[in-house]
Structures are given as C-alpha cells and as structure tokens.
Amino acid sequence: YGGNTKIPFSTDDKVDNPVSLYAATKKTDELLAHAYSKLYQIPTTGLRFFTVYGPSGRPDMAYFSFTNKLVNNEKIKIFNYGNCQRDFTYVDDIVEGVLRVMDSKPEDNYKIYNIGNNHPENLMDFVKTLGECLIEEGVLPKDFNIEEHMELVPMQPGDVPVTYADVSELERNFSFKPNTSLKEGQMSKERASFVCEEALAYYVKEIGYDRIAKYAKSYLSSSAHFSMSSTSLNVASRTSFSLSNCWLPSVCDMAWRT
C-alpha cells in the first residue's frame, strides 16, 4: 500500500505507487495474475498478508531476530523513533483465512482480500510484549530491562509508518476476521512446540536421526541467528517457542539436500 495515508488499507485503494522494490514485486505479481485470469478464464484469488508471525517463521523476521538480540544482550533498532505501527497477524489466523477462501470461486474470476489482524500495534509495544513473554518463559532473567535494549533510529528507506488491514470483505464473504491478540500469539508455546515436534518426527522418519543431529549440532553452535554450545534434538525441540522454530527448517533442509 506504499505511502497510503488512508487507513485502514482497503483492497479498493489505489496501489500504483509502491515505496520499495519488495512492494513493487507484489503489485507485479497481482498484475500478472489478473492478466492470466482474464486471458485464460482462470479463477484467481490474491491474498495480502499483514506482518505474519508465529512458529516456523523465517529467522530474519522481527519475531525471531528480536528474540535472538535480546537473548544475546544486544540492542534492537526501533525505526522512526518508535513511531511505527504494524498489523501483526498470527500465523494460525492466516491459515484459517486461506482455508476459507481457497475453495470459493471469486466473482468475475478475480478477487483480492486482505488478511490482517485489523488492529495495529506500536513496534515498541511489540518488543515489550515479546520481552515479557520471554521473561515469563524463563528465557530472559526476571530483572531483564527491555527498554534499555531499544535503540530509537530514523525511518529506513522503503519502510512505512503504519500497516492496517481493512478485512471487511473477508468478514462479509467468509464470516471470518483474525482476532489473535499479540500477547496470545506470542505466548502460544504449546502450539509452537506441537508444530516443532510434529515436523521433527516427520524429518527423523524421512531423513534419519543421525543426519539431522549432525547438522543440528553444527548449525546451533555456529549460526548467526542463535548460538547454543551443546544440545540434543529432544531438548532443542522443546526449547522456548521463540527459539526452537528458528533452526529446525534450516537444519532439516540442509540434511535433506545432502
């Protein structure tokens, strides 16, 4: 939605002026999909996700990278001097939205929907909530000072001050509106552990425990994302929700490819 000042962001808004290459690729994708849909009568639905977080996310995303910085006693950069808001959306809500939309043929063979929490959170509040969760889970010490680990910096190029999804069409057509709160999503340890253990069980069966253990030991001791001196798969798969899911996909992918 680029520098759109009208909020919440609606799929009816003009989005022809992206402020980053990343956003431009998304717009390009939608244009190509629209052309194919019209040329070949292919029912096509596009989904615009808003700041997804949760288990098995990419290690470079804020949810995990912030955790690793806090664990390593490093400072987190808060852009626009803290005046940034994001419509953080828990991954389970994204999945539910996809499942509801995927079996429905769109009107005129083409339709776009937003899937977001419809409730922007200040980035500083996100960091504070994350820190509180990590303290509650025993990952950080009880006397850990979250605010001392925040560094307020200017807005980075290509970024926007706020994201805010208008999900009225999603709610109207599919009776669904994401509603997982930030605290609830960040504290979903049970769900994250289940995902991690289920994935681990699958890869152990397909690849073998020894091969995964070999790469896990190497990855966890040298990874820039998360350092651990020694571990076992059994213990690591039950490590804090914010840490365990960072390494599992990477490790299993390495083992699979070799």
Side-chain angles (χ1 to χ4, degrees):
Y1 289 95
N4 195 346
T5 57
K6 170 189 160 294
I7 53 175
F9 298 154
S10 168
T11 54
D12 293 328
D13 295 341
K14 181 180 178 182
V15 289
D16 294 336
N17 302 103
V19 297
S20 70
L21 294 175
Y22 174 63
T25 63
K26 290 187 173 184
K27 176 63 176 178
T28 302
D29 170 69
E30 290 183 356
L31 289 172
L32 289 170
H34 183 270
Y36 268 92
S37 175
K38 296 304 179 184
L39 284 171
Y40 305 109
Q41 292 74 54
I42 301 173
T44 304
T45 303
L47 302 177
R48 296 174 178 172
F49 301 156
F50 282 69
T51 318
V52 186
Y53 71 99
S56 298
R58 295 200 325 265
D60 61 303
M61 296 296 283
Y63 186 57
F64 295 120
S65 65
F66 284 4
T67 294
N68 293 327
K69 285 184 179 295
L70 292 176
V71 168
N72 291 317
N73 205 31
E74 300 173 5
K75 287 194 174 183
I76 295 170
K77 291 184 178 181
I78 308 296
F79 292 103
N80 203 29
Y81 303 104
N83 297 312
C84 261
Q85 291 184 307
R86 293 292 179 267
D87 203 353
F88 293 102
T89 311
Y90 189 58
V91 64
D92 282 11
D93 285 332
I94 294 292
V95 172
E96 179 66 23
V98 172
L99 291 175
R100 294 198 181 211
V101 171
M102 64 187 300
D103 289 330
S104 176
K105 182 178 178 180
E107 293 182 17
D108 299 323
N109 260 14
Y110 186 84
K111 185 67 178 175
I112 300 289
Y113 290 101
N114 288 332
I115 303 185
N117 211 44
N118 191 232
H119 184 74
E121 300 274 2
N122 188 282
L123 189 55
M124 293 183 71
D125 292 335
F126 172 82
V127 176
K128 289 178 182 177
T129 303
L130 176 61
E132 291 169 1
C133 291
L134 293 173
I135 291 172
E136 289 181 32
E137 292 298 317
V139 177
L140 295 176
K142 292 184 178 180
D143 60 351
F144 191 87
N145 191 318
I146 306 298
E147 294 189 2
E148 287 183 358
H149 290 76
M150 297 185 191
E151 180 183 357
L152 303 183
V153 297
M155 179 76 81
Q156 60 182 340
D159 210 346
V160 294
V162 61
T163 62
Y164 186 176
D166 180 343
V167 294
S168 56
E169 282 198 290
L170 181 72
E171 187 174 14
R172 180 170 59 253
N173 293 345
F174 299 99
S175 303
F176 174 67
K177 179 181 179 181
N179 60 4
T180 303
S181 70
L182 193 56
K183 184 67 178 283
E184 182 184 357
Q186 290 188 339
M187 285 298 290
S188 295
K189 180 178 179 182
E190 291 77 13
R191 172 61 181 162
S193 296
F194 171 77
V195 171
C196 191
E197 290 174 24
E198 288 291 299
L200 183 58
Y202 170 79
Y203 281 113
V204 167
K205 178 182 177 182
E206 295 295 322
I207 304 172
Y209 180 91
D210 291 340
R211 286 175 66 186
I212 296 177
K214 171 187 172 183
Y215 284 96
K217 184 177 180 181
S218 172
Y219 183 87
L220 293 176
S221 63
S222 62
S223 172
H225 298 302
F226 176 50
S227 297
M228 180 183 284
S229 57
S230 62
T231 186
S232 70
L233 286 176
N234 186 48
V235 173
S237 68
R238 291 168 175 78
T239 305
S240 166
F241 68 98
S242 294
L243 302 179
S244 62
N245 296 282
C246 291
W247 60 266
L248 180 63
S250 298
V251 167
C252 290
D253 182 62
M254 288 188 291
W256 185 278
R257 291 174 183 273
T258 58

